[in-house]
Each structure stands twice: as C-alpha cells, then as structure tokens.
C-alpha cells in the first residue's frame, strides 16, 4: 500500500529554498541551492546559491565562486562586493562597485547605476572610502545614497557622521510626494456656502457651475493621491453624512426635498431612503436629456445633479464641490459603498475591497514614517554639529506621539549626556528600559551615565543583565567594561571591549573606551592605535582626537597634543572639557597667560564647569594672584565638596597668604578624602614650604 503525502510538495526548487530561508534553515537552503546550481548553471541559480553562501557567512567560498563569473546581474555584483568588504579586500570591493581602479572616481558600474541596488552600493562605497581616509569621496557617496533613498537609516547616519549639510533639502521631494497623506483633515473641507436670496438665480448658477467644478477638480487632483472630504450641514434635520476615506472618488449630494417631501423626512433613516429614491429619479431625468450617456450602475446614496436644492428654501445652504469625473467616464470611476469600512467599484468582487483599503493604509503609514524620519534626521544633524539647543527645539516641536518613540528618547538621552546632565539622562533611559526591556540600543549611554555618577551597584546590575540576555551585542560588553573600569579592573575592561569590537567592528564607542582603558594601564601605543581605529570608522569623532591629545600629553609631545585637541575643538567647539585640556597644554608649555585665555572660553561655554573653575584657580595660583584664586576656590568648594584636589589647593593658597592654621586644616581634609594621595600631598607640602622660605 502506497502512503499518501500529508501535504503536497511544491513543484519548484526555488519555493523550497525560500521556505527554508523564511524558517531560518539556512544550511538546508544552501544544500538545495548547491544541488540546483549543479543541475542548472543559470544566472538565477547562481544568484540563489550566492545568497545562501552569504547568509551562512561562507565568504571565502562565495569569493572564489564569483571571482571567475561575469557579474551581469546588479544584485550578484553587489553580493560579490559585500563579500569582498567582509574579507577586507577593499580594492576588489571598489572594483566590483565601480568597474574601475580603486583610485578613480566613485561612479557606480553601469550594471548597478540604473538598478534598485544603487543606494546600497553607494552606501557600501562610502564606508570603504571612509576606511581608506578619503573623507570627501566618502561624503559624496553617502549623499548620493541618501538622495536615491533617504529611508535607509545607515546611509543617513553615514552622511551626518561625515559632516553632510542640508538634510532637509534632501527630504523635501519625498515629503512633497507624501504630503496629501498626512495633511490635517480639518483643512480639507470642500464645501462653499451660498446665500439663497434668489432661488431662480441659485438654481441657474448651480446648474451652470457644476461642469466647471468637475473640470477643475479632475484637472488638479490625481486619482492616486486624493484628499479626504468632510461634510457638514447647516441643520441636523437636513443632513446626510457619508463617511469618507482617502484613495477613492466621491460623488454624493445633500438633498433638500420640496415642501411635500419635508413633512415625511423627520428622521435620519427616512432621509436616507428618500435620498436613494430621489437619486434614481433624477438620474433617469438627466439621462433622458443626454442620449450619449450610458445607463449607470447603482448610485451612492444621492443624486448626481447639484440642482437638488429646494426652490422654496430661504435658509443658508451648502453646495458641495463635486469630485466626480466627466459624464463619459463616470461608469468606471464611481465607487459604491458596501458597508461603512469597505469601498468597492461596481461589478467588482468583494475580495478586491480589503486590498484597496489596505493599500491606502500602507501609504498613510509610509507617509507618517517619512515625516518622522525627516524630523529625526534634523535632530541628529544638529546633534552631530553640536548645536544642542536647536536639536532640543526640534524635539520639542514634534508631535507628542513622535517624541515618545524609542528613537527620539535615545536622541534626547544623547543630548543630555553631551550636556553632562547625567542624572536626567539616567532617569530617562531607565524609564525607556522599563517600556522596552528587550531593546539594547542606547544602553551604552546609560552605562556611561552610571559610570559618571559612580553608581557601582546599578552599573554592575545593568552589565550582568545585558551580558546574560544579549551576549552578541557590542553595547552589552561596553556596559560590562564600564562596570569593570569603575571597579579599577582595567584588564577585564579591555577584554570586554575587545570582544565588543569583534561583535561589531563599526561601533565607534568601543574603540574610544578601549583607548581610555589602555591609557589607564599606561599602554600608550596601544591606546593610540585604538583611537586611530575609531577615526577610521568615524573621521569626525572628537572624542578620539581628544584621546590622542591626552596620549601625546602623557608622552610630553605637547605640540602634537595641541594639534589633536585643536582638531577636536574644530569639530565640537561647545565642549568645555576640550578647552580645559588645551589650557593645560598651554600651562605645561609655560604659557600661563594663554592658558588663562583658553580657560575663560571654557567658562563662557559652561560657567558652572567644575574642571574649568579648578583649572582657572590653578593658573591664578601660578601667576601669584592668590586673592582671586581664593575667591574662585571658595565658590568651587560648594559645588565640589568631595574633591581632594580643591582642598589641597586651598591649603596651598592659605599657606601663601600666611594663614598656617587654615592651610593645615585643608591639607588634613584633602588627605582624608584621598588617603592614597597622602605621600603626594606631603611631598607637595614640603615643596611649598621650601618655596615659601626661599621667598622670605
């Protein structure tokens, strides 16, 4: 007895491969693709096999498979380019994308240029140019990718990271395309009020104006992007309200019966029945006068003639602007209403109705996403140019629902961290984490805020949760590295960051954090390499330049340090910490007056910056302006009550002013706050005692 199949198999191999891919059985898909390619050496079979190789991360086999193959299909050429990129064969990747030498222009190969693959190819080309240090060409490629498709967020980010300008101009055509789908429907009322002072004149004007209105509307409005129509009447007893939807044409009328009909239309249901009866009668009258018109199918709810206004009425009425098409084409354009939610063309099956409704809903969703993405892009544009106030204003101008989305919340948190408002950023991100417990994006920002607040317990709990639930995300291991760093376990932090880089080589935060940890371990050469790798991924990362400046300063290469800090300030001139670092370099070179000028600039940016005020006090002490130095330190003591360096400097100032009792008192407080610095404090105290005795 032959067993029957419980479910018949598909008749094509491609269907089986697609089924395996949709169920993440990539090995099964690859096995079938190899068998299919052995039997059918066609371009389609090769494309399926290449796709399966790429999904299973078999880049070496894919590279040798496609090397000797003519890449005539755009997607096949793009797969080969991405394979070269993963294998770090950047020259081969550029040749595949452009068809020319890697040093030539960044125009795409003709196979890619006219295909839907072009924006992805330009984005990949931008990444390669960025890694090769060709920033201008990388920016040009990123802009081309964004102009071809501005909804590719990685292309938008690459464009903004490289210093692109004018994202609103790039989004303008797309916003204009979807503009009819997100307009406020309160502005779309299409009725005009008419005073019924002369009934005869009104009837004549209505009868003659209808064809003109029809011609005007049909010439201005496209059928693929119609507007909503809202209807309101002057009195409740004479209202026939029809629920309208976008994406379909309407042709309905507000009926006013004559004096004999008014008495029988007291309720809404009666009005609807009278509307249908009157509609059919008036259509038959019009058709008798127009022999060229063909009999029409079922008419929606009301008459097609605008002359249905009552001659005996003297009240203010509304004449709707007709949206119907000319008479000859009405049969194909008029939709009949099956129910309150479904609109179908006459003669069509009910199965076509949900398709049209779903399509219009998809367009509306797309319009909303385009608008939100354009607003978010503008926020990131201002943030990447460190215009934080403008970024906050852009967020404040958003719709409340948009402001509450995950992407906007993370943007707000980044702005807060950049402004050193770590407490607010922590509260915002903890609330975000409760709402989206599955999301890992942005958790490195929360770990940074916790590190700055020195909250060891909370940071350790966050790192444990992330590394348990999201082991394959770089953000998790960056949080773990911050936790180890706060516990002064820098070697473990370095191991976590190296793992984060392997998981996501494009995550720039891992490189800068690794450089800082290596600096703490006095491995300055490795730290330099880490910061330079960060600049390879993102050439405008001011933190990497700042780290390089600190490394050069530790090596006493003050000129190189000043150059790197200057590059960081050129990117972000609103960060007071950078000016503090530059002032310390000036002070180390013996230019104390120059250091004072730079630190005043830092205080202009942030008058409450503790580091800037402390540096100013130090420089005033160096120029022997002890009274001003004492004033600065007394104000600073209230803001930094637990800083040992502040109390130690106060002790030195009081020592210089001859107040030995206060000097010893502040030295004692400083040593209690920082017991591990007692030897340094005693050495410095003895040094200043010797200096004081020499000046007497």
């Amino acid at each position: 007895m032959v067993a029957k199949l419980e479910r018949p198999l598909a008749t094509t191999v491609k269907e089986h491969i697609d089924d395996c891919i949709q169920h993440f059985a990539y090995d099964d898909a690859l096995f079938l693709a190899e068998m299919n390619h052995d039997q059918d050496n066609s371009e389609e079979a090769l494309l399926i096999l290449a796709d399966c190789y790429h999904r299973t991360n078999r880049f070496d086999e894919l590279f040798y498979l496609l090397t000797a193959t003519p890449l005539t299909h755009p997607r096949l050429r793009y797969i080969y380019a991405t394979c070269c990129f993963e294998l770090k064969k950047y020259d081969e990747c550029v040749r595949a994308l452009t068809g020319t030498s890697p040093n030539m222009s960044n125009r795409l190969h003709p196979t890619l240029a006219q295909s839907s693959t072009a924006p992805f190819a330009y984005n990949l080309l931008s990444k390669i140019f960025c890694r090769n240090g060709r920033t201008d060409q990388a920016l040009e490629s990123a802009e081309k990718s964004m102009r071809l498709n501005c909804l590719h967020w990685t292309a938008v980010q690459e464009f903004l990271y490289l210093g692109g300008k004018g994202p609103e101009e790039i989004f303008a055509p797309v916003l204009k395309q979807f503009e009819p789908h997100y307009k406020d429907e309160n502005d779309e009322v299409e009725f005009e009020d008419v005073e019924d002072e002369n009934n005869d004149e009104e009837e004549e004007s209505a009868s003659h104006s209808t064809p003109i209105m029809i011609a005007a509307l049909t010439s201005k409005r496209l059928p693929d992007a119609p507007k909503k129509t809202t209807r309101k009447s002057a009195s409740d007893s004479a209202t026939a309200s029809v629920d309208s939807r976008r994406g379909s044409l309407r042709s309905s009328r507000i009926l006013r019966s004559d004096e004999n009909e008014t008495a029988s239309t007291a309720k809404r249901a009666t009005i609807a029945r009278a509307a249908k009866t009157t509609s059919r009668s008036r259509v038959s009258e019009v058709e008798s006068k127009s022999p060229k018109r063909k009999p029409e199918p079922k008419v929606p709810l009301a008459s097609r003639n605008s002359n249905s206004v009552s001659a005996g009425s003297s009240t203010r009425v509304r004449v709707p602007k007709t949206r119907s098409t000319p008479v000859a084409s009405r049969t194909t354009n008029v939709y009949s209403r099956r129910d309150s939610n479904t609109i179908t063309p006459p003669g069509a099956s009910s199965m076509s109705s949900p398709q049209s409704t779903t399509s219009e809903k998809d367009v509306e969703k797309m319009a909303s996403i385009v608008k939100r993405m354009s607003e978010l892009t503008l926020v990131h544009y201002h943030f990447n140019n460190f215009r934080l106030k403008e970024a906050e204003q852009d967020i404040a101008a958003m719709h409340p629902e948009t402001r509450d989305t995950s992407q906007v919340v993370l943007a707000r948190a980044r702005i807060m961290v950049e402004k050193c408002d770590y407490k607010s950023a922590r509260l915002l991100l903890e609330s975000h984490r409760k709402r989206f417990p599955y999301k890992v994006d942005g958790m490195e920002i929360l770990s940074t805020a916790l590190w700055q607040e020195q909250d060891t317990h909370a940071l350790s709990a966050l790192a444990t949760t992330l590394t348990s639930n999201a082991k394959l995300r770089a953000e998790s291991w960056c949080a773990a590295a911050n936790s180890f760093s706060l516990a002064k376990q820098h070697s473990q932090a370095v191991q976590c960051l190296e793992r984060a880089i392997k998981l996501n080589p494009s995550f720039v935060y891992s490189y800068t954090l690794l450089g800082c940890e290596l600096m703490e371990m006095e491995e300055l050469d490795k730290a330099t390499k880490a910061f330079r790798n960060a600049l390879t991924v993102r050439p405008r990362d001011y933190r990497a330049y700042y780290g390089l400046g600190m490394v050069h300063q530790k090596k006493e290469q003050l000129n190189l340090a000043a150059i790197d800090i200057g590059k960081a300030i050129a990117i972000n001139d609103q960060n007071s910490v950078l000016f503090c670092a530059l002032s310390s370099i000036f002070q180390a070179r013996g230019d104390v007056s120059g250091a004072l000028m730079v630190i005043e600039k830092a205080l202009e940016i942030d008058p409450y910056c503790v580091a800037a005020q402390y540096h100013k006090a130090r420089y005033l002490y160096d120029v022997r302006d002890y009274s001003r130095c004492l004033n600065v330190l007394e104000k600073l003591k209230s803001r930094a009550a637990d800083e040992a360096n502040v109390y130690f400097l106060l002790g030195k100032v009081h020592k210089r002013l001859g107040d030995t009792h206060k000097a010893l008192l502040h030295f004692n407080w400083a040593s209690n706050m920082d017991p591990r610095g007692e030897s340094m404090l005693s050495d410095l105290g003895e040094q200043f005692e010797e200096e004081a005795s020499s000046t007497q």
Side-chain angles (χ1 to χ4, degrees):
M1 183 177 179
V2 179
K4 294 183 179 180
L5 289 174
E6 294 183 3
R7 186 173 66 90
L9 291 175
T11 57
T12 63
V13 180
K14 187 177 184 304
E15 291 179 359
H16 286 285
I17 294 174
D18 292 339
D19 192 33
C20 292
I21 290 175
Q22 290 175 5
H23 293 85
F24 315 109
Y26 297 132
D27 291 333
D28 295 332
L30 177 60
F31 182 80
L32 290 174
E34 287 178 336
M35 294 187 68
N36 181 48
H37 184 257
D38 291 339
Q39 294 182 359
D40 180 16
N41 194 14
S42 64
E43 187 179 67
E44 181 181 2
L46 179 62
L47 185 60
I48 295 172
L49 180 60
D51 186 26
C52 292
Y53 272 132
H54 200 285
R55 289 176 185 271
T56 53
N57 297 327
R58 302 190 181 187
F59 299 114
D60 291 319
E61 297 174 61
L62 178 59
F63 176 77
Y64 289 110
L65 172 68
L66 297 180
T67 298
T69 303
L71 306 174
T72 56
H73 194 281
R75 191 162 179 270
L76 202 61
R77 181 175 287 273
Y78 178 74
I79 291 176
Y80 176 69
T82 56
C83 174
C84 295
F85 182 81
E86 293 293 337
L87 295 174
K88 298 184 179 180
K89 299 178 183 292
Y90 298 134
D91 290 346
E92 291 291 334
C93 184
V94 174
R95 289 191 185 95
L97 293 173
T98 63
T100 58
S101 171
N103 296 323
M104 299 296 288
S105 64
N106 55 350
R107 292 183 179 180
L108 291 182
H109 190 275
T111 305
L112 296 169
Q114 302 300 325
S115 67
S116 60
T117 314
F120 301 95
Y122 274 122
N123 190 25
L124 182 59
L125 197 60
S126 174
K127 293 179 181 179
I128 296 172
F129 286 147
C130 187
R131 280 163 172 72
N132 291 336
R134 298 154 67 179
T135 308
D136 294 338
Q137 289 179 295
L139 177 59
E140 183 181 352
S141 298
E143 183 175 357
K144 289 181 179 179
S145 176
M146 187 177 172
R147 287 187 181 277
L148 288 173
N149 193 336
C150 60
L151 296 186
H152 292 167
W153 184 242
T154 55
V156 173
Q157 285 184 314
E158 195 75 17
F159 175 76
L160 297 178
Y161 290 156
L162 293 170
K165 305 293 183 182
E168 63 276 4
E169 183 266 333
I170 297 177
F171 269 92
V174 185
L175 291 172
K176 186 176 181 181
Q177 175 187 351
F178 288 96
E179 184 178 4
H181 299 279
Y182 52 72
K183 266 191 174 181
D184 186 16
E185 60 183 24
N186 293 329
D187 298 333
E188 298 177 6
V189 179
E190 298 189 1
F191 290 88
E192 57 182 9
D193 295 329
V194 180
E195 285 290 344
D196 192 11
E197 297 178 355
N198 192 328
N199 297 328
D200 296 334
E201 292 180 1
E202 184 179 28
E203 289 185 9
E204 183 179 359
S205 62
S207 62
H208 288 293
S209 62
T210 301
I212 299 175
M213 253 184 278
I214 293 173
L217 288 173
T218 54
S219 63
K220 289 181 180 179
R221 192 155 294 140
L222 297 176
D224 59 339
K227 295 183 180 179
K228 286 187 178 179
T229 305
T230 58
R231 296 174 172 80
K232 296 181 181 179
S233 63
S235 61
D236 294 335
S237 62
T239 302
S241 176
V242 181
D243 181 29
S244 60
R245 299 183 66 86
R246 292 179 182 170
S248 62
L249 298 175
R250 311 293 191 280
S251 180
S252 62
R253 297 290 183 270
I254 298 176
L255 296 180
R256 289 183 178 271
S257 59
D258 53 17
E259 294 178 356
N260 296 329
E261 293 173 335
T262 305
S264 62
T265 56
K267 295 182 180 180
R268 233 176 249 277
T270 310
I271 292 176
R273 289 193 296 270
K276 293 180 180 180
T277 305
T278 309
S279 173
R280 296 190 184 95
S281 63
R282 294 193 180 277
V283 168
S284 61
E285 291 176 5
V286 175
E287 288 176 351
S288 63
K289 296 179 182 180
S290 302
K292 294 183 179 181
R293 185 189 302 176
K294 295 182 180 180
E296 292 186 278
K298 187 176 179 181
V299 183
L301 291 181
S303 169
R304 296 180 181 275
N305 193 349
S306 63
N307 292 334
S308 58
V309 181
S310 174
S313 176
S314 61
T315 59
R316 184 179 180 88
V317 297
R318 285 189 158 193
V319 179
K321 293 184 178 180
T322 308
R323 303 183 69 178
S324 58
T325 54
V327 176
S329 60
R330 284 183 185 178
T331 306
T332 57
N333 288 332
V334 177
Y335 285 16
S336 62
R337 185 174 300 278
R338 300 293 178 89
D339 52 61
S340 59
N341 296 323
T342 307
I343 300 174
T344 57
S349 63
S350 60
M351 296 298 292
S352 62
S353 172
Q355 185 176 1
S356 61
T357 305
T358 303
S359 176
E360 178 56 32
K361 287 183 179 179
D362 290 342
V363 175
E364 290 179 0
K365 290 179 182 178
M366 188 66 179
S368 176
I369 289 175
V370 168
K371 189 174 183 180
R372 289 185 178 187
M373 191 167 177
S374 65
E375 294 172 345
L376 186 62
T377 300
L378 197 59
V379 171
H380 279 265
Y381 169 68
H382 286 140
F383 176 77
N384 280 278
N385 288 279
F386 304 100
R387 297 197 288 264
L388 304 183
K389 291 183 178 179
E390 288 84 345
E392 291 176 331
Q393 291 172 359
D394 292 335
I395 294 176
M398 291 179 176
H399 192 275
E401 292 183 358
T402 305
R403 285 201 302 268
D404 203 35
T405 57
S406 176
Q407 295 86 354
V408 178
V409 170
L410 293 179
R412 289 172 57 194
R414 288 188 174 92
I415 293 172
M416 292 174 183
V417 169
E418 193 64 37
K419 294 172 65 177
C420 300
D421 188 1
Y422 302 111
K423 183 177 180 180
S424 299
R426 174 183 179 175
L427 294 175
L428 181 63
L429 288 171
E430 286 177 346
S431 174
H432 174 268
R433 189 161 174 254
K434 290 179 180 178
R435 289 177 55 209
F436 306 100
Y438 56 90
K439 291 185 70 68
V440 185
D441 295 336
M443 289 301 100
E444 79 281 358
I445 313 173
L446 178 57
S447 68
T448 300
L450 294 173
W451 189 91
Q452 293 289 346
E453 291 189 336
Q454 304 289 299
D455 193 338
T456 306
H457 178 72
L459 183 54
S460 177
L462 175 66
T464 302
T465 303
L466 291 177
T467 52
S468 300
N469 300 335
K471 295 180 180 179
L472 301 180
R473 294 294 300 272
E475 292 88 342
S476 302
W477 295 103
C478 287
N482 277 326
S483 178
F484 283 120
S485 176
L486 193 58
K488 305 299 181 182
Q489 300 177 13
H490 300 294
S491 59
Q492 288 86 342
V494 169
Q495 293 177 4
C496 291
L497 292 170
E498 289 175 346
R499 182 168 185 176
I501 291 171
K502 289 181 179 179
L503 290 172
N504 188 359
S506 300
F507 193 50
V508 70
Y509 182 76
S510 305
Y511 295 102
T512 55
L513 205 57
L514 177 61
C516 294
E517 294 301 318
L518 291 171
M519 282 179 60
E520 292 290 335
M521 298 173 65
E522 298 296 330
E523 297 185 11
L524 301 182
D525 293 335
K526 292 183 179 180
T528 301
K529 183 179 179 181
F531 289 127
R532 295 202 182 280
N533 288 335
L535 291 173
T536 301
V537 178
R538 189 181 300 178
R540 296 184 70 252
D541 186 15
Y542 77 91
R543 293 180 180 85
Y545 281 116
Y546 172 73
L548 286 173
M550 293 297 97
V551 170
H552 290 310
Q553 189 173 7
K554 280 181 171 290
K555 291 182 176 181
E556 297 183 356
Q557 299 172 345
L558 300 180
N559 291 333
L560 293 176
I563 292 173
D564 288 325
I565 298 297
K567 291 179 179 179
I569 292 176
I571 297 171
N572 182 7
D573 60 354
Q574 298 299 315
N575 192 309
S576 59
V577 176
L578 299 179
F579 287 95
C580 291
L582 184 61
S583 67
S584 64
I585 295 173
F586 275 90
Q587 190 265 349
R589 292 162 61 177
D591 188 1
V592 182
S593 59
L596 273 171
M597 292 176 60
V598 174
I599 209 63
E600 290 293 345
K601 175 63 177 177
L603 290 171
E604 288 179 8
I605 297 172
D606 185 4
Y608 302 102
C609 179
V610 174
Q613 291 177 343
Y614 176 74
H615 279 81
K616 181 178 180 179
R618 280 185 54 198
Y619 304 149
L620 290 172
Y621 181 86
D622 290 341
V623 296
R624 301 177 184 272
D625 193 346
Y626 302 123
S627 59
R628 288 179 61 193
C629 178
L630 183 61
N631 291 333
V632 173
L633 289 173
E634 289 294 338
K635 294 178 181 178
L636 182 60
K637 187 168 64 172
S638 60
R639 299 192 187 96
D642 55 349
E643 285 291 339
N645 291 329
V646 174
Y647 288 90
F648 179 64
L649 187 57
L650 271 169
K652 291 161 64 176
V653 172
H654 284 297
K655 182 70 176 178
R656 286 295 188 182
L657 293 175
D659 195 343
T660 307
H661 176 71
K662 287 186 177 181
L664 293 176
L665 183 63
H666 283 90
F667 283 141
N668 186 37
W669 284 342
S671 62
N672 290 334
M673 292 177 185
D674 185 15
R676 288 178 294 183
E678 287 180 353
S679 60
M680 179 192 68
L681 296 176
S682 61
D683 292 340
L684 289 174
E686 293 175 359
Q687 176 185 351
F688 280 104
E689 285 185 3
E690 292 176 359
E691 291 179 0
S693 61
S694 63
T695 55
Q696 291 176 354

